[in-house]
Amino acid sequence: MPDNRVVVYKGPGEVAVESIEYPKLELPTDVVTGLKIKQKAPHAAILKIVTTNICGSDQHMVRGRTTAPVGQTLGHEITGEVVETGDDVLFVNTGDICSVPFNIACGRCRMCNEGKTGVCLNVNPARPGAAYGYVDMGGWIGGQAEYVMVPYADFNLLRFPDREQAMEKILDLTMLSDIFPTGYHGAVTAGVTTGSSVYIAGAGPVGLAAAHAAQVLGAGAVVVGDMIPERLEQARSFGCETIDLRLDGTLPEMIEQLLGEPEVDAAVDAVGFEARGHGKEGDEAPATVLNSVMEVTRVGGGLGIPGLYVTGDPGAVDEGAKHGTLGVRIGLGWAKSHSFTTGQCPVKRYNRQLMNAILSGKAQIAKAVNATTIPLDEAPRGYRDFDGGASRKFVIDPHGMVAA
């Protein structure tokens, strides 16, 4: 068997590529012992990674802003070629190119049957829901690697219908594992529809994906706010209005200058718990975005919150925030009859439809997020550049399949 190489968290600000054991058709020990289920996984498949992406959620761990231990494997945005299947896999075959939802789901529990695959009850003993290569998510090996094991393969894998077509559009299709469905989920749950005005907080990859998703949904005006000029320029490159949050003035005033009124129909928080206060000298203030999106969303509007919030943040600015307790103006949201949707995106709810939008040319998500391919050995540099504010979505190509 070949070896496997994977990106590993080595401490705050540091990752490395290390060799580990080639994957087996077995479940992680944490899952087996915690849930008292069988370790052998004839329902699983092993994939040769075609593409795997660096995510902002990974950066939270690498910055030391979660309880991730040194040695945590990384990577939950996975697209791969099936190279081995268990005896109980019926509908996925070797050679298939598939997208892997970052949510690991059994397909058998109450939550999965209700379409809530982000909170599956049978894949993580610590809490509902699991993901590859992420802290407190069940001990599953990460997919920023050469190979990965995917459990419940018939349920979890989205097979692309034509291999040649898939490889031609692979930089778009690789976004189906997380950020395109996540951004779309943010826009959909905020109520974006034909002619809507929407404010997107954050022009990182998820924010840009949410902005493009809003366009796909028919929004009339998409406004993106951020503090990094390069990211704002990227948002403008595909037709978004932008707000530089370093400038003086309130957010309602800035929106009014663009739209003629100080409110929008819907808003998406694509920043999460490492938010900073507005203005040139804005310090970290984790409730800033939640409060600002309530301020600028009209009465009766919706807030989609795909930005990550955690229950454990050792680097938080105050004791409450270390445990996920933030100064959110819930009274404002209540008074305005806002609806709020939080939590992991249930990727399977959207990924097939978004795949069809990509294959038909209706969505160009790789262009929107500035997909940039790097080899596996350059993952540490990709993390550094991304952390420095680069307006790129780094796509790791461990086997050189994209270039070929």
Side-chain angles (χ1 to χ4, degrees), residues 63-92:
R63 291 186 187 120
R65 296 300 299 270
T66 72
T67 56
V70 171
Q72 169 76 56
T73 61
L74 301 174
H76 56 269
E77 299 191 10
I78 303 165
T79 305
E81 177 184 2
V82 177
V83 294
E84 182 180 352
T85 60
D87 290 341
D88 289 348
V89 177
L90 302 179
F91 306 111
V92 176

PDB file of all heavy atoms in Angstrom, residues 63-92:
ATOM      1  N   ARG A  63      -4.629  29.442  13.829  1.00  0.00           N
ATOM      2  CA  ARG A  63      -4.296  30.629  14.625  1.00  0.00           C
ATOM      3  C   ARG A  63      -4.263  30.339  16.120  1.00  0.00           C
ATOM      4  O   ARG A  63      -3.928  31.215  16.921  1.00  0.00           O
ATOM      5  CB  ARG A  63      -5.317  31.732  14.361  1.00  0.00           C
ATOM      6  CG  ARG A  63      -5.257  32.340  12.963  1.00  0.00           C
ATOM      7  CD  ARG A  63      -6.210  33.514  12.862  1.00  0.00           C
ATOM      8  NE  ARG A  63      -6.298  34.004  11.504  1.00  0.00           N
ATOM      9  CZ  ARG A  63      -7.426  34.039  10.788  1.00  0.00           C
ATOM     10  NH1 ARG A  63      -8.557  33.609  11.313  1.00  0.00           N
ATOM     11  NH2 ARG A  63      -7.417  34.507   9.553  1.00  0.00           N
ATOM     12  N   GLY A  64      -4.665  29.148  16.522  1.00  0.00           N
ATOM     13  CA  GLY A  64      -4.716  28.820  17.938  1.00  0.00           C
ATOM     14  C   GLY A  64      -5.975  29.312  18.614  1.00  0.00           C
ATOM     15  O   GLY A  64      -6.019  29.430  19.839  1.00  0.00           O
ATOM     16  N   ARG A  65      -7.030  29.556  17.817  1.00  0.00           N
ATOM     17  CA  ARG A  65      -8.258  30.125  18.362  1.00  0.00           C
ATOM     18  C   ARG A  65      -9.334  29.065  18.649  1.00  0.00           C
ATOM     19  O   ARG A  65     -10.508  29.398  18.816  1.00  0.00           O
ATOM     20  CB  ARG A  65      -8.791  31.182  17.405  1.00  0.00           C
ATOM     21  CG  ARG A  65      -7.866  32.380  17.228  1.00  0.00           C
ATOM     22  CD  ARG A  65      -7.615  33.110  18.533  1.00  0.00           C
ATOM     23  NE  ARG A  65      -8.840  33.628  19.099  1.00  0.00           N
ATOM     24  CZ  ARG A  65      -9.331  34.845  18.832  1.00  0.00           C
ATOM     25  NH1 ARG A  65      -8.681  35.655  18.009  1.00  0.00           N
ATOM     26  NH2 ARG A  65     -10.450  35.236  19.385  1.00  0.00           N
ATOM     27  N   THR A  66      -8.929  27.811  18.678  1.00  0.00           N
ATOM     28  CA  THR A  66      -9.826  26.737  19.094  1.00  0.00           C
ATOM     29  C   THR A  66      -9.051  25.836  20.051  1.00  0.00           C
ATOM     30  O   THR A  66      -7.888  26.100  20.364  1.00  0.00           O
ATOM     31  CB  THR A  66     -10.315  25.900  17.897  1.00  0.00           C
ATOM     32  OG1 THR A  66      -9.225  25.095  17.418  1.00  0.00           O
ATOM     33  CG2 THR A  66     -10.845  26.774  16.762  1.00  0.00           C
ATOM     34  N   THR A  67      -9.689  24.780  20.494  1.00  0.00           N
ATOM     35  CA  THR A  67      -9.030  23.827  21.389  1.00  0.00           C
ATOM     36  C   THR A  67      -8.363  22.688  20.623  1.00  0.00           C
ATOM     37  O   THR A  67      -8.080  21.634  21.195  1.00  0.00           O
ATOM     38  CB  THR A  67     -10.042  23.252  22.393  1.00  0.00           C
ATOM     39  OG1 THR A  67     -11.140  22.671  21.673  1.00  0.00           O
ATOM     40  CG2 THR A  67     -10.577  24.349  23.308  1.00  0.00           C
ATOM     41  N   ALA A  68      -8.092  22.889  19.330  1.00  0.00           N
ATOM     42  CA  ALA A  68      -7.438  21.856  18.526  1.00  0.00           C
ATOM     43  C   ALA A  68      -6.081  21.491  19.111  1.00  0.00           C
ATOM     44  O   ALA A  68      -5.267  22.370  19.406  1.00  0.00           O
ATOM     45  CB  ALA A  68      -7.267  22.328  17.085  1.00  0.00           C
ATOM     46  N   PRO A  69      -5.795  20.196  19.288  1.00  0.00           N
ATOM     47  CA  PRO A  69      -4.493  19.782  19.803  1.00  0.00           C
ATOM     48  C   PRO A  69      -3.429  19.797  18.721  1.00  0.00           C
ATOM     49  O   PRO A  69      -3.734  19.669  17.531  1.00  0.00           O
ATOM     50  CB  PRO A  69      -4.759  18.350  20.274  1.00  0.00           C
ATOM     51  CG  PRO A  69      -5.817  17.849  19.323  1.00  0.00           C
ATOM     52  CD  PRO A  69      -6.692  19.050  19.034  1.00  0.00           C
ATOM     53  N   VAL A  70      -2.188  19.955  19.127  1.00  0.00           N
ATOM     54  CA  VAL A  70      -1.079  19.773  18.186  1.00  0.00           C
ATOM     55  C   VAL A  70      -1.160  18.355  17.631  1.00  0.00           C
ATOM     56  O   VAL A  70      -1.380  17.392  18.366  1.00  0.00           O
ATOM     57  CB  VAL A  70       0.265  20.014  18.896  1.00  0.00           C
ATOM     58  CG1 VAL A  70       1.428  19.605  17.989  1.00  0.00           C
ATOM     59  CG2 VAL A  70       0.390  21.475  19.309  1.00  0.00           C
ATOM     60  N   GLY A  71      -1.008  18.237  16.326  1.00  0.00           N
ATOM     61  CA  GLY A  71      -1.154  16.945  15.673  1.00  0.00           C
ATOM     62  C   GLY A  71      -2.493  16.744  14.999  1.00  0.00           C
ATOM     63  O   GLY A  71      -2.688  15.740  14.298  1.00  0.00           O
ATOM     64  N   GLN A  72      -3.417  17.702  15.196  1.00  0.00           N
ATOM     65  CA  GLN A  72      -4.712  17.623  14.522  1.00  0.00           C
ATOM     66  C   GLN A  72      -4.512  17.638  13.007  1.00  0.00           C
ATOM     67  O   GLN A  72      -3.887  18.547  12.459  1.00  0.00           O
ATOM     68  CB  GLN A  72      -5.573  18.819  14.936  1.00  0.00           C
ATOM     69  CG  GLN A  72      -6.844  19.018  14.134  1.00  0.00           C
ATOM     70  CD  GLN A  72      -7.934  18.041  14.509  1.00  0.00           C
ATOM     71  OE1 GLN A  72      -8.311  17.949  15.667  1.00  0.00           O
ATOM     72  NE2 GLN A  72      -8.433  17.310  13.530  1.00  0.00           N
ATOM     73  N   THR A  73      -5.021  16.610  12.321  1.00  0.00           N
ATOM     74  CA  THR A  73      -4.981  16.632  10.857  1.00  0.00           C
ATOM     75  C   THR A  73      -6.030  17.616  10.348  1.00  0.00           C
ATOM     76  O   THR A  73      -7.019  17.894  11.025  1.00  0.00           O
ATOM     77  CB  THR A  73      -5.241  15.240  10.269  1.00  0.00           C
ATOM     78  OG1 THR A  73      -6.544  14.789  10.662  1.00  0.00           O
ATOM     79  CG2 THR A  73      -4.186  14.248  10.746  1.00  0.00           C
ATOM     80  N   LEU A  74      -5.795  18.162   9.177  1.00  0.00           N
ATOM     81  CA  LEU A  74      -6.618  19.251   8.663  1.00  0.00           C
ATOM     82  C   LEU A  74      -7.255  18.892   7.317  1.00  0.00           C
ATOM     83  O   LEU A  74      -6.748  18.043   6.594  1.00  0.00           O
ATOM     84  CB  LEU A  74      -5.778  20.517   8.502  1.00  0.00           C
ATOM     85  CG  LEU A  74      -5.105  21.065   9.769  1.00  0.00           C
ATOM     86  CD1 LEU A  74      -4.202  22.240   9.417  1.00  0.00           C
ATOM     87  CD2 LEU A  74      -6.142  21.467  10.812  1.00  0.00           C
ATOM     88  N   GLY A  75      -8.339  19.594   7.010  1.00  0.00           N
ATOM     89  CA  GLY A  75      -8.914  19.513   5.678  1.00  0.00           C
ATOM     90  C   GLY A  75     -10.276  18.846   5.624  1.00  0.00           C
ATOM     91  O   GLY A  75     -10.393  17.650   5.903  1.00  0.00           O
ATOM     92  N   HIS A  76     -11.301  19.633   5.269  1.00  0.00           N
ATOM     93  CA  HIS A  76     -12.649  19.075   5.160  1.00  0.00           C
ATOM     94  C   HIS A  76     -13.298  19.395   3.816  1.00  0.00           C
ATOM     95  O   HIS A  76     -14.450  19.034   3.606  1.00  0.00           O
ATOM     96  CB  HIS A  76     -13.531  19.604   6.304  1.00  0.00           C
ATOM     97  CG  HIS A  76     -13.588  21.107   6.376  1.00  0.00           C
ATOM     98  ND1 HIS A  76     -12.706  21.842   7.131  1.00  0.00           N
ATOM     99  CD2 HIS A  76     -14.413  22.002   5.779  1.00  0.00           C
ATOM    100  CE1 HIS A  76     -12.995  23.136   7.007  1.00  0.00           C
ATOM    101  NE2 HIS A  76     -14.022  23.259   6.183  1.00  0.00           N
ATOM    102  N   GLU A  77     -12.595  20.040   2.910  1.00  0.00           N
ATOM    103  CA  GLU A  77     -13.153  20.357   1.588  1.00  0.00           C
ATOM    104  C   GLU A  77     -12.497  19.435   0.559  1.00  0.00           C
ATOM    105  O   GLU A  77     -11.397  19.706   0.078  1.00  0.00           O
ATOM    106  CB  GLU A  77     -12.914  21.832   1.256  1.00  0.00           C
ATOM    107  CG  GLU A  77     -13.576  22.781   2.249  1.00  0.00           C
ATOM    108  CD  GLU A  77     -13.575  24.222   1.793  1.00  0.00           C
ATOM    109  OE1 GLU A  77     -13.226  24.492   0.621  1.00  0.00           O
ATOM    110  OE2 GLU A  77     -13.924  25.093   2.608  1.00  0.00           O
ATOM    111  N   ILE A  78     -13.188  18.360   0.224  1.00  0.00           N
ATOM    112  CA  ILE A  78     -12.564  17.224  -0.465  1.00  0.00           C
ATOM    113  C   ILE A  78     -13.302  16.877  -1.749  1.00  0.00           C
ATOM    114  O   ILE A  78     -14.533  16.760  -1.760  1.00  0.00           O
ATOM    115  CB  ILE A  78     -12.565  15.983   0.458  1.00  0.00           C
ATOM    116  CG1 ILE A  78     -11.849  16.278   1.785  1.00  0.00           C
ATOM    117  CG2 ILE A  78     -11.940  14.793  -0.250  1.00  0.00           C
ATOM    118  CD1 ILE A  78     -12.129  15.252   2.864  1.00  0.00           C
ATOM    119  N   THR A  79     -12.548  16.693  -2.814  1.00  0.00           N
ATOM    120  CA  THR A  79     -13.039  16.109  -4.058  1.00  0.00           C
ATOM    121  C   THR A  79     -12.063  15.009  -4.441  1.00  0.00           C
ATOM    122  O   THR A  79     -10.846  15.226  -4.402  1.00  0.00           O
ATOM    123  CB  THR A  79     -13.123  17.155  -5.179  1.00  0.00           C
ATOM    124  OG1 THR A  79     -13.928  18.255  -4.729  1.00  0.00           O
ATOM    125  CG2 THR A  79     -13.727  16.571  -6.441  1.00  0.00           C
ATOM    126  N   GLY A  80     -12.558  13.834  -4.790  1.00  0.00           N
ATOM    127  CA  GLY A  80     -11.621  12.745  -5.032  1.00  0.00           C
ATOM    128  C   GLY A  80     -12.123  11.693  -5.994  1.00  0.00           C
ATOM    129  O   GLY A  80     -13.291  11.672  -6.402  1.00  0.00           O
ATOM    130  N   GLU A  81     -11.188  10.811  -6.347  1.00  0.00           N
ATOM    131  CA  GLU A  81     -11.464   9.663  -7.213  1.00  0.00           C
ATOM    132  C   GLU A  81     -11.553   8.414  -6.339  1.00  0.00           C
ATOM    133  O   GLU A  81     -10.638   8.128  -5.559  1.00  0.00           O
ATOM    134  CB  GLU A  81     -10.357   9.495  -8.255  1.00  0.00           C
ATOM    135  CG  GLU A  81     -10.530   8.282  -9.140  1.00  0.00           C
ATOM    136  CD  GLU A  81      -9.370   8.083 -10.096  1.00  0.00           C
ATOM    137  OE1 GLU A  81      -8.409   8.866 -10.044  1.00  0.00           O
ATOM    138  OE2 GLU A  81      -9.428   7.127 -10.894  1.00  0.00           O
ATOM    139  N   VAL A  82     -12.626   7.664  -6.476  1.00  0.00           N
ATOM    140  CA  VAL A  82     -12.794   6.438  -5.700  1.00  0.00           C
ATOM    141  C   VAL A  82     -11.779   5.397  -6.169  1.00  0.00           C
ATOM    142  O   VAL A  82     -11.707   5.084  -7.366  1.00  0.00           O
ATOM    143  CB  VAL A  82     -14.223   5.896  -5.842  1.00  0.00           C
ATOM    144  CG1 VAL A  82     -14.378   4.570  -5.096  1.00  0.00           C
ATOM    145  CG2 VAL A  82     -15.238   6.919  -5.349  1.00  0.00           C
ATOM    146  N   VAL A  83     -10.990   4.878  -5.215  1.00  0.00           N
ATOM    147  CA  VAL A  83     -10.000   3.856  -5.553  1.00  0.00           C
ATOM    148  C   VAL A  83     -10.264   2.525  -4.855  1.00  0.00           C
ATOM    149  O   VAL A  83      -9.680   1.510  -5.215  1.00  0.00           O
ATOM    150  CB  VAL A  83      -8.562   4.336  -5.239  1.00  0.00           C
ATOM    151  CG1 VAL A  83      -8.169   5.495  -6.141  1.00  0.00           C
ATOM    152  CG2 VAL A  83      -8.402   4.714  -3.769  1.00  0.00           C
ATOM    153  N   GLU A  84     -11.159   2.524  -3.850  1.00  0.00           N
ATOM    154  CA  GLU A  84     -11.482   1.282  -3.147  1.00  0.00           C
ATOM    155  C   GLU A  84     -12.849   1.455  -2.484  1.00  0.00           C
ATOM    156  O   GLU A  84     -13.155   2.526  -1.962  1.00  0.00           O
ATOM    157  CB  GLU A  84     -10.420   0.962  -2.094  1.00  0.00           C
ATOM    158  CG  GLU A  84     -10.652  -0.343  -1.350  1.00  0.00           C
ATOM    159  CD  GLU A  84      -9.580  -0.646  -0.317  1.00  0.00           C
ATOM    160  OE1 GLU A  84      -8.563   0.074  -0.278  1.00  0.00           O
ATOM    161  OE2 GLU A  84      -9.779  -1.599   0.465  1.00  0.00           O
ATOM    162  N   THR A  85     -13.651   0.402  -2.516  1.00  0.00           N
ATOM    163  CA  THR A  85     -14.947   0.444  -1.844  1.00  0.00           C
ATOM    164  C   THR A  85     -15.134  -0.793  -0.978  1.00  0.00           C
ATOM    165  O   THR A  85     -14.607  -1.868  -1.279  1.00  0.00           O
ATOM    166  CB  THR A  85     -16.112   0.521  -2.852  1.00  0.00           C
ATOM    167  OG1 THR A  85     -16.071  -0.635  -3.696  1.00  0.00           O
ATOM    168  CG2 THR A  85     -16.038   1.782  -3.694  1.00  0.00           C
ATOM    169  N   GLY A  86     -15.900  -0.631   0.101  1.00  0.00           N
ATOM    170  CA  GLY A  86     -16.258  -1.763   0.931  1.00  0.00           C
ATOM    171  C   GLY A  86     -17.323  -2.618   0.277  1.00  0.00           C
ATOM    172  O   GLY A  86     -17.979  -2.212  -0.695  1.00  0.00           O
ATOM    173  N   ASP A  87     -17.543  -3.803   0.845  1.00  0.00           N
ATOM    174  CA  ASP A  87     -18.465  -4.764   0.239  1.00  0.00           C
ATOM    175  C   ASP A  87     -19.915  -4.282   0.238  1.00  0.00           C
ATOM    176  O   ASP A  87     -20.719  -4.755  -0.570  1.00  0.00           O
ATOM    177  CB  ASP A  87     -18.378  -6.102   0.984  1.00  0.00           C
ATOM    178  CG  ASP A  87     -17.059  -6.827   0.742  1.00  0.00           C
ATOM    179  OD1 ASP A  87     -16.387  -6.498  -0.253  1.00  0.00           O
ATOM    180  OD2 ASP A  87     -16.714  -7.715   1.542  1.00  0.00           O
ATOM    181  N   ASP A  88     -20.254  -3.371   1.142  1.00  0.00           N
ATOM    182  CA  ASP A  88     -21.641  -2.895   1.224  1.00  0.00           C
ATOM    183  C   ASP A  88     -21.895  -1.628   0.407  1.00  0.00           C
ATOM    184  O   ASP A  88     -22.999  -1.080   0.448  1.00  0.00           O
ATOM    185  CB  ASP A  88     -22.029  -2.635   2.686  1.00  0.00           C
ATOM    186  CG  ASP A  88     -22.177  -3.924   3.475  1.00  0.00           C
ATOM    187  OD1 ASP A  88     -22.197  -5.001   2.860  1.00  0.00           O
ATOM    188  OD2 ASP A  88     -22.268  -3.849   4.724  1.00  0.00           O
ATOM    189  N   VAL A  89     -20.884  -1.146  -0.314  1.00  0.00           N
ATOM    190  CA  VAL A  89     -21.082   0.018  -1.183  1.00  0.00           C
ATOM    191  C   VAL A  89     -21.656  -0.483  -2.506  1.00  0.00           C
ATOM    192  O   VAL A  89     -21.032  -1.285  -3.205  1.00  0.00           O
ATOM    193  CB  VAL A  89     -19.763   0.777  -1.412  1.00  0.00           C
ATOM    194  CG1 VAL A  89     -19.972   1.939  -2.375  1.00  0.00           C
ATOM    195  CG2 VAL A  89     -19.212   1.286  -0.084  1.00  0.00           C
ATOM    196  N   LEU A  90     -22.840  -0.004  -2.847  1.00  0.00           N
ATOM    197  CA  LEU A  90     -23.574  -0.547  -3.988  1.00  0.00           C
ATOM    198  C   LEU A  90     -23.568   0.355  -5.216  1.00  0.00           C
ATOM    199  O   LEU A  90     -23.627  -0.142  -6.346  1.00  0.00           O
ATOM    200  CB  LEU A  90     -25.031  -0.813  -3.585  1.00  0.00           C
ATOM    201  CG  LEU A  90     -25.260  -1.758  -2.403  1.00  0.00           C
ATOM    202  CD1 LEU A  90     -26.751  -1.878  -2.125  1.00  0.00           C
ATOM    203  CD2 LEU A  90     -24.641  -3.115  -2.662  1.00  0.00           C
ATOM    204  N   PHE A  91     -23.519   1.673  -5.009  1.00  0.00           N
ATOM    205  CA  PHE A  91     -23.819   2.587  -6.110  1.00  0.00           C
ATOM    206  C   PHE A  91     -22.675   3.529  -6.466  1.00  0.00           C
ATOM    207  O   PHE A  91     -22.835   4.401  -7.317  1.00  0.00           O
ATOM    208  CB  PHE A  91     -25.071   3.395  -5.774  1.00  0.00           C
ATOM    209  CG  PHE A  91     -26.242   2.522  -5.420  1.00  0.00           C
ATOM    210  CD1 PHE A  91     -26.727   2.484  -4.129  1.00  0.00           C
ATOM    211  CD2 PHE A  91     -26.821   1.705  -6.371  1.00  0.00           C
ATOM    212  CE1 PHE A  91     -27.795   1.664  -3.794  1.00  0.00           C
ATOM    213  CE2 PHE A  91     -27.887   0.876  -6.048  1.00  0.00           C
ATOM    214  CZ  PHE A  91     -28.375   0.859  -4.749  1.00  0.00           C
ATOM    215  N   VAL A  92     -21.541   3.377  -5.810  1.00  0.00           N
ATOM    216  CA  VAL A  92     -20.338   4.143  -6.130  1.00  0.00           C
ATOM    217  C   VAL A  92     -19.276   3.149  -6.576  1.00  0.00           C
ATOM    218  O   VAL A  92     -19.091   2.104  -5.936  1.00  0.00           O
ATOM    219  CB  VAL A  92     -19.843   4.955  -4.916  1.00  0.00           C
ATOM    220  CG1 VAL A  92     -18.538   5.665  -5.252  1.00  0.00           C
ATOM    221  CG2 VAL A  92     -20.904   5.957  -4.473  1.00  0.00           C
TER     222      VAL A  92
END
